[in-house]
Amino acid sequence: MNLTRIADPYAVPGRYAKAQLHCHTTRSDGRLTPRALLERYRAAGYSFVVFTDHNRVTVCDDLNDAAFLALPGVETTVPRPFRPLGPHMGRLGAPGALGARSAQACIDATAAAGGVVSLHHPSWTGNLWTGGWSLTEMLRLRGYHLIEVSNHHSRTEEDLRRWTTVLRARGAAAPVGAAAADDLHRDGDLDSGWVMVKVAAVEPATFLSALRSLAFYASTGPQAEFGVRDGTIACATDAPEIRFIDAQDAVRYAAKGPEVSYAPQGDEGFVRVECAGRLGRRAWSQAFWITRTA
């Protein structure tokens, strides 16, 4: 008799809280002051906001309380061959030293400080075509935790392809999560992409730990709940369609919402869940790794 074991990234205590991981203020090229930006996000129902001004750390804790938390961060341009040319890296929560130049050195400095690294808009063609993260580099780098799969600067389908390719290469021992973000520069960018983190409290350490352990999902609209129940991967969502997709990007099962479950066969490698909402809006789970046992 063949059985399967399912690794559930959401099997942690807590509740879901809305978080923005990529936004800019007047301290770089945004149009809102740090406090004004936080006021917009708090009014929109967010519990966490990470500032990611270009190549400088922004701190504003004016609105921090038990229900809302703003954290410092930075969007570092990795020089190709010199700034402002090069791809962008989000260094979240505790950026570390900003003097590092290579991509791996930036990751190492952030990790040493206790922060979390996200590769921003991998397929972006800006900065005179130097702004993207090549798949070769994404596979070579070590120590980062997140890849943006939805950002208005890049192509979601291509970024999803790069994310799942990295997942296959890194395996269950060193997975990487899919994130969505506003990359906010002006009011019109607000609420175009975010993550829902599962946390027990609105605290910096709890939040960053949830990002590292991939206890979150990415969304541009749909709400969802993911988990393992009775040997199946279960999803409940307000989106009209749910798809269960394996490590080779093949749809194993698709059905109408609001609640659907899928029993893995054991040969999937991993399964990720995609909730397809109206007007092209979507939500993406992290990978549920599948192991076949005898």
Side-chain angles (χ1 to χ4, degrees):
M1 179 180 180
N2 288 326
L3 302 174
T4 58
R5 183 166 55 247
I6 308 169
D8 181 3
Y10 303 103
V12 295
R15 62 173 184 85
Y16 283 106
K18 197 172 185 180
Q20 182 55 237
L21 306 181
H22 189 173
C23 54
H24 300 273
T25 77
T26 50
R27 287 179 57 80
S28 61
D29 59 349
R31 296 186 181 177
L32 297 171
T33 65
R35 184 184 174 101
L37 180 143
L38 295 180
E39 289 171 346
R40 300 288 200 285
Y41 276 117
R42 182 159 188 160
Y46 284 75
S47 296
F48 299 95
V49 175
V50 184
F51 293 110
T52 53
D53 279 315
H54 293 283
N55 301 308
R56 65 185 304 172
V57 176
T58 295
V59 177
C60 178
D61 56 9
D62 294 0
L63 302 184
N64 285 5
D65 58 24
F68 183 82
L69 181 65
L71 289 88
V74 65
E75 184 173 46
T76 294
T77 302
V78 178
R80 299 289 169 78
F82 48 77
R83 291 175 181 163
L85 300 182
H88 292 175
M89 175 186 295
R91 303 166 68 180
L92 314 178
L98 300 188
R101 289 182 59 83
S102 74
Q104 190 61 61
C106 289
I107 293 171
D108 294 343
T110 305
V116 172
V117 170
S118 175
L119 301 187
H120 284 174
H121 38 64
S123 62
W124 184 43
T125 57
N127 280 3
L128 297 179
W129 296 87
T130 67
W133 291 99
S134 72
L135 183 56
T136 298
E137 186 164 31
M138 294 171 74
L139 291 169
R140 176 176 57 80
L141 293 172
R142 293 290 180 266
Y144 66 93
H145 290 87
L146 312 178
I147 294 171
E148 279 187 353
V149 300
S150 179
N151 179 305
H152 60 84
H153 279 314
S154 57
R155 297 168 291 157
T156 292
E157 296 310 319
E158 174 59 23
D159 290 341
L160 285 168
R161 185 189 72 83
R162 296 187 194 189
W163 170 51
T164 57
T165 301
V166 173
L167 274 177
R168 289 192 296 270
R170 289 173 60 151
V176 61
D182 283 348
D183 194 358
L184 183 143
H185 291 81
R186 56 193 61 83
D187 269 342
D189 300 331
L190 183 75
D191 232 22
S192 58
W194 58 89
V195 299
M196 299 295 292
V197 291
K198 195 172 184 183
V199 293
V202 180
E203 299 172 346
T206 302
F207 171 64
L208 295 173
S209 177
L211 293 181
R212 291 188 200 95
S213 66
L214 311 186
F216 67 92
Y217 68 89
S219 181
T220 61
Q223 297 183 14
E225 185 90 28
F226 304 101
V228 174
R229 184 175 64 232
D230 299 328
T232 70
I233 299 170
C235 173
T237 180
D238 58 2
E241 185 175 358
I242 304 169
R243 307 181 187 114
F244 296 82
I245 304 169
D246 69 14
Q248 301 305 316
D249 294 326
V251 177
R252 287 298 188 100
Y253 182 58
K256 301 297 182 183
E259 296 188 29
V260 180
S261 61
Y262 169 73
Q265 303 303 299
D267 61 344
E268 293 90 348
F270 62 79
V271 172
R272 60 183 181 90
V273 188
E274 184 172 293
C275 303
R278 295 172 179 83
L279 302 177
R281 295 181 176 271
R282 288 188 280 176
W284 301 271
S285 79
Q286 306 309 327
F288 291 82
W289 292 88
I290 309 299
T291 304
R292 177 177 283 168
T293 61

